[in-house]
Amino acid sequence: MAWKPLPIGVDDFKDLIKNKYFFIDKTLFIKELLDMKGKVNLFTRPRRFGKTLNMSMLRYFFEKGNGENAKLFQGLKIMDAGNEYLDYMGKYPVISISLKSMKQSSFELSFEMLKKAVSEEFLRHWREVEESGKLTDAQRERFLRIRDVKGSDADYADALKFLSECLNVCYGVSAVILIDEYDVPLENAYFAGFYEEMVSVIRSLFESALKTNEYLEFAVVTGCLRISKESIFTGLNNFKINSITTQLYAEYFGFTSEEVEQTLEFYDLKENMTKVREWYDGYQFGTTEVYNPWSVINYLQDCFKNKNSLMHPYWSNTSSNSIVRRLVENADISAKQEIEALIEGGTITKPIHEDITYDDMDSTQDNLWNFLFFTGYLKKISERQEGETIYIEMAIPNREVRYIYKRTVLRWFEEKTEQKELTPLYESILNGDTGKMSEILSENLMETISFYDYQESYYHGFLAGMLKNIGNYIVLSNRESGNGRPDILLKYPSVRGKAVIMEIKVSKTYRGLEEKCDEALRQIEEQRYDEALREEGYEDILKYGVAFYRKECMVKSASAQIKK
């Protein structure tokens, strides 16, 4: 098998090319960017879809230097695009800043991280600026304050504009500004509780750099979400937004189906295409089918030693799932049914609007669906327009993202169960009150979000979760042990206490619940589930047949006191 090292965690274009990592050529992104001639270009894509690597590629292509950067592009597609594009290579000073590390717990810490990110970019340009000798004393003094993280808050409010001014003085040409992951500090601030303060800082930084900056040639901004122009990008008239609904640039973030097929063939893994499609495909940017690049390259890495490596949810370990959790936590009965439908492979249809802010997230349930759509947790199936409103039919993209929903739901259920007062349930089980048991379990089912299409495994997990904190009793869940074992056993540590046998059945109809309870009780008797308990010395054994139909539960008992 041919092998090239995979660029896991490598988002510096120069590093990737110099060290001969595997690379899917996206350099025609540069051509399309120059063709469209946008003054300020915002690209919104889900996390880990190649935004940072593309920004690094832009920096090395456009940045002035000694000609070394041109060597990085030898043999790549942009070199055959024509001189009208190559004339832009190495032409501009470039300001490149990433906000992806601004995930601190307080505004003060986040602002400090912003200062450091800005100061590092000032430091990167210091030598050329100093050697030019063209700055005034006042400009040089302010430049050094920002470089050394000693500036006032006012110094940082328009720092990017000031840097572009300094570079224009030194080089005589306007600057290209690249801002990567601009919305990370906003998302973090929203969930950490200091959103308004952070919005104010980011707005000031962006307005000065992108709106009223005569030293700007053009800018590229990337993020996960388009944030309302009114909140961040106020008054930017020449502002081009390229979201996942836009056909332009669609193939330059993520891997296309053709690229994945070629990649699997290169690594001699073509027979794994079906599995890769089920797990990591399903995204649609414009009308282009797109795979999650992070997950694909991680899967390829796992296949280095074993071509039949198991599929893993790589993206779920890197992406923030806070929005999915917010949806689950805030879901009303209607939203819970929609989540259940999605997990089971169904679709929902929602009005879509891109001018949103994090403040809007909780104002309506529809806004949460919008956030999920634009951040990659839902994909477009179809769309239609009614009047001024666009409606999009959505589904979960693939098995990897379905795993995130399932894990989020399970974690939410576990945490919610731990907070509940379930003593009445436990008492009803130990006292043989099947009516109370049925009532409490049905009430809790109404609050849950179910999946597995109401299979027995779902109800088994639900009941085991409810019994998790029963106190002095040992809970044994033996479903995975195969035939001859009851679904759930409860045992007091001493044989002088009680033991409980529970067998679970699923009915296809509400009226069939009682019959299923009887079937479960017959199984307990026919399989002699109580024999092992009797041999241990238990005498007080309760037996329950538990039947479920959707969000309804019925419990019947056949408790028997075993005499010595």
Side-chain angles (χ1 to χ4, degrees):
M1 177 176 68
W3 185 262
K4 277 191 172 185
L6 291 151
I8 297 173
V10 179
D11 50 23
D12 181 85
F13 182 75
K14 182 177 181 179
D15 184 12
L16 186 144
I17 297 297
K18 288 277 190 182
N19 290 295
K20 299 182 179 179
Y21 284 99
F22 179 79
F23 175 60
I24 291 179
D25 189 344
K26 301 285 187 180
T27 55
L28 289 182
F29 174 44
I30 299 166
K31 175 182 180 299
E32 195 158 324
L33 190 66
L34 291 170
D35 283 340
M36 300 311 298
K37 289 183 168 53
K39 188 72 172 180
V40 180
N41 308 270
L42 172 64
F43 294 91
T44 61
R45 294 294 188 276
R47 306 277 183 238
R48 299 286 185 173
F49 268 73
K51 299 188 295 295
T52 299
L53 180 59
N54 276 349
M55 293 289 265
S56 177
M57 177 180 72
L58 294 180
R59 176 195 144 194
Y60 284 109
F61 182 85
F62 288 107
E63 191 160 54
K64 295 179 76 67
N66 56 13
E68 284 294 311
N69 288 348
K71 296 177 182 177
L72 301 175
F73 293 88
Q74 295 305 311
L76 299 180
K77 293 176 182 178
I78 189 62
M79 301 304 287
D80 297 323
N83 288 332
E84 65 267 37
Y85 302 102
L86 298 183
D87 286 345
Y88 288 90
M89 183 182 284
K91 186 176 180 180
Y92 304 100
V94 174
I95 298 169
S96 178
I97 185 170
S98 173
L99 304 185
K100 65 166 58 177
S101 63
M102 291 180 62
K103 299 178 181 180
Q104 288 65 46
S105 59
S106 70
F107 171 73
E108 291 73 21
L109 284 174
S110 289
F111 192 32
E112 284 302 312
M113 289 302 295
L114 176 62
K115 290 178 179 179
K116 289 179 181 179
V118 170
S119 73
E120 287 170 4
E121 190 62 8
F122 273 71
L123 177 62
R124 193 172 74 84
H125 288 284
W126 169 246
R127 179 180 295 178
E128 291 80 3
V129 169
E130 178 70 357
E131 289 178 353
S132 75
K134 294 181 179 179
L135 296 186
T136 66
D137 290 342
Q139 287 174 326
R140 187 177 183 277
E141 184 179 322
R142 184 185 175 192
F143 196 106
L144 289 173
R145 283 201 309 270
I146 297 174
R147 186 201 71 176
D148 298 336
V149 202
K150 294 179 179 179
S152 65
D153 289 355
D155 280 327
Y156 294 96
D158 65 345
L160 298 186
K161 178 181 180 180
F162 174 65
L163 180 55
S164 62
E165 178 186 356
C166 293
L167 294 174
N168 178 264
V169 168
C170 296
Y171 293 109
V173 291
S174 297
V176 172
I177 296 180
L178 308 175
I179 303 173
D180 190 33
E181 301 285 16
Y182 86 96
D183 59 337
V184 166
L186 299 172
E187 179 182 350
N188 175 71
Y190 176 78
F191 288 109
F194 51 91
Y195 181 71
E196 289 301 326
E197 292 171 286
M198 186 53 66
V199 165
S200 178
V201 169
I202 299 298
R203 181 190 295 121
S204 176
L205 190 71
F206 281 20
E207 281 188 357
S208 59
L210 307 178
K211 177 186 174 184
T212 57
N213 188 358
E214 63 268 38
Y215 310 107
L216 172 68
E217 182 66 25
F218 68 87
V220 178
V221 182
T222 71
C224 194
L225 285 172
R226 166 185 171 179
I227 304 300
S228 169
K229 287 168 67 174
E230 286 69 35
S231 67
I232 298 296
F233 304 114
T234 307
L236 283 177
N237 297 321
N238 198 7
F239 185 68
K240 294 197 174 182
I241 299 162
N242 303 280
S243 74
I244 61 173
T245 62
T246 309
Q247 183 56 42
L248 287 170
Y249 309 100
E251 68 269 35
Y252 299 121
F253 297 87
F255 295 162
T256 65
S257 183
E258 182 182 3
E259 288 167 344
V260 171
E261 287 182 16
Q262 292 171 352
T263 301
L264 291 178
E265 187 170 3
F266 177 81
Y267 285 101
D268 194 23
L269 293 167
K270 198 170 184 180
E271 66 273 20
N272 295 6
M273 186 68 192
T274 299
K275 292 191 295 184
V276 173
R277 183 181 297 113
E278 288 176 356
W279 275 81
Y280 311 125
D281 187 18
Y283 303 92
Q284 188 174 351
F285 298 163
T287 58
T288 302
E289 178 185 357
V290 178
Y291 286 68
N292 185 319
W294 173 258
S295 299
V296 170
I297 63 172
N298 273 276
Y299 173 69
L300 293 173
Q301 179 87 344
D302 282 353
C303 289
F304 176 60
K305 292 286 187 180
N306 177 13
K307 289 176 65 174
N308 297 312
S309 179
L310 299 178
M311 315 303 287
H312 294 286
Y314 304 102
W315 195 56
S316 71
N317 296 325
T318 65
S319 178
S320 168
N321 301 325
S322 302
I323 298 173
V324 176
R325 184 176 178 87
R326 185 61 63 100
L327 174 73
V328 171
E329 288 177 343
N330 293 353
D332 55 21
I333 292 175
S334 176
K336 286 175 183 175
Q337 290 177 339
E338 291 175 313
I339 296 170
E340 290 172 2
L342 287 168
I343 292 175
E344 291 170 15
T347 65
I348 61 171
T349 300
K350 295 292 174 183
I352 209 72
H353 48 91
E354 299 187 41
D355 276 330
I356 53 178
T357 71
Y358 282 97
D359 265 354
D360 297 328
M361 185 182 293
D362 296 324
S363 59
T364 69
Q365 199 77 51
D366 282 348
N367 281 340
L368 269 175
W369 293 119
N370 272 259
F371 274 84
L372 289 165
F373 174 65
F374 286 108
T375 51
Y377 292 99
L378 292 170
K379 68 173 180 179
K380 181 177 75 174
I381 299 297
S382 64
E383 62 183 336
R384 71 176 192 274
Q385 188 163 12
E386 294 182 8
E388 295 79 29
T389 304
I390 295 174
Y391 290 87
I392 291 186
E393 182 186 10
M394 309 174 192
I396 292 175
N398 51 46
R399 294 183 68 175
E400 179 177 42
V401 179
R402 183 171 288 111
Y403 169 87
I404 294 173
Y405 280 88
K406 288 180 177 180
R407 289 304 307 161
T408 304
V409 168
L410 287 173
R411 201 170 293 120
W412 164 79
F413 173 68
E414 290 169 359
E415 292 174 4
K416 194 168 184 181
T417 300
E418 288 177 0
Q419 296 167 4
K420 279 182 173 290
E421 175 49 63
L422 293 174
T423 301
L425 172 64
Y426 304 149
E427 289 176 349
S428 66
I429 292 172
L430 299 175
N431 295 333
D433 188 346
T434 56
K436 194 66 175 176
M437 289 170 62
S438 303
E439 179 186 336
I440 294 173
L441 290 173
S442 294
E443 286 175 355
N444 280 273
L445 274 171
M446 289 296 293
E447 297 178 10
T448 65
I449 297 168
S450 59
F451 45 90
Y452 302 123
D453 196 22
Y454 295 104
Q455 295 176 26
E456 191 174 319
S457 58
Y458 163 71
Y459 292 112
H460 186 275
F462 163 77
L463 186 53
M466 295 291 288
L467 299 173
K468 186 177 176 182
N469 298 315
I470 197 168
N472 293 330
Y473 278 76
I474 301 165
V475 183
L476 300 173
S477 181
N478 292 319
R479 176 179 174 78
E480 66 276 7
S481 300
N483 295 330
R485 302 288 183 91
D487 284 324
I488 294 176
L489 279 179
L490 305 178
K491 296 198 304 181
Y492 193 74
S494 167
V495 295
R496 293 186 181 88
K498 294 182 179 182
V500 180
I501 300 171
M502 291 184 171
E503 189 63 28
I504 298 168
K505 297 296 177 185
V506 178
S507 175
K508 292 182 179 179
T509 65
Y510 177 73
R511 291 185 177 183
L513 283 171
E514 187 168 4
E515 183 182 335
K516 285 295 181 181
C517 284
D518 293 335
E519 181 184 330
L521 290 172
R522 282 196 302 273
Q523 182 174 325
I524 292 173
E525 296 302 326
E526 291 169 1
Q527 297 291 330
R528 299 183 175 182
Y529 289 154
D530 59 344
E531 279 191 356
L533 293 169
R534 228 182 306 168
E535 289 173 5
E536 288 181 48
Y538 286 95
E539 295 181 358
D540 194 355
I541 302 174
L542 298 165
K543 303 172 185 178
Y544 293 112
V546 187
F548 293 96
Y549 169 71
R550 295 188 178 273
K551 297 296 178 85
E552 301 290 341
C553 176
M554 179 181 286
V555 184
K556 291 186 71 174
S557 69
S559 57
Q561 206 167 36
I562 314 292
K563 296 182 180 179
K564 292 182 181 178

